[in-house]
Amino acid sequence: MNEPFKITLEAARVNAGYKQKEAAKKLEISPSTLGKYEARTSYPNMKMIAKMEELYQISKDNIRW
């Protein structure tokens, strides 16, 4: 069975139509924190992942963490 296609967190944000600063504000985090998540130098907790799923309209299973 093939692995489902996964996109980066940054691509999920861009596809949802948000600039980094806008998304960070909606997620109630700093743009630098979101940048660290997108660069994969830091990882969000499950509560934040759920917020991202809702904001970006994408399942966590479709994001390359």
Side-chain angles (χ1 to χ4, degrees):
M1 190 168 181
N2 289 338
E3 177 87 15
F5 180 71
K6 294 188 178 197
I7 63 173
T8 65
L9 188 57
E10 180 180 8
R13 173 180 54 77
V14 171
N15 288 347
Y18 293 104
K19 295 189 183 302
Q20 192 177 63
K21 190 174 179 180
E22 295 170 323
K25 185 173 183 176
K26 288 187 176 286
L27 293 167
E28 301 176 317
I29 58 176
S30 70
S32 65
T33 296
L34 183 54
K36 289 176 185 176
Y37 294 161
E38 291 181 356
R40 300 196 298 178
T41 58
S42 182
Y43 297 92
N45 61 28
M46 290 307 292
K47 185 176 177 182
M48 182 55 58
I49 289 171
K51 283 177 141 183
M52 290 174 170
E53 285 181 303
E54 186 176 336
L55 181 63
Y56 299 159
Q57 294 294 294
I58 188 170
S59 168
K60 67 182 182 299
D61 297 332
N62 294 328
I63 297 174
R64 188 180 333 128
W65 299 100

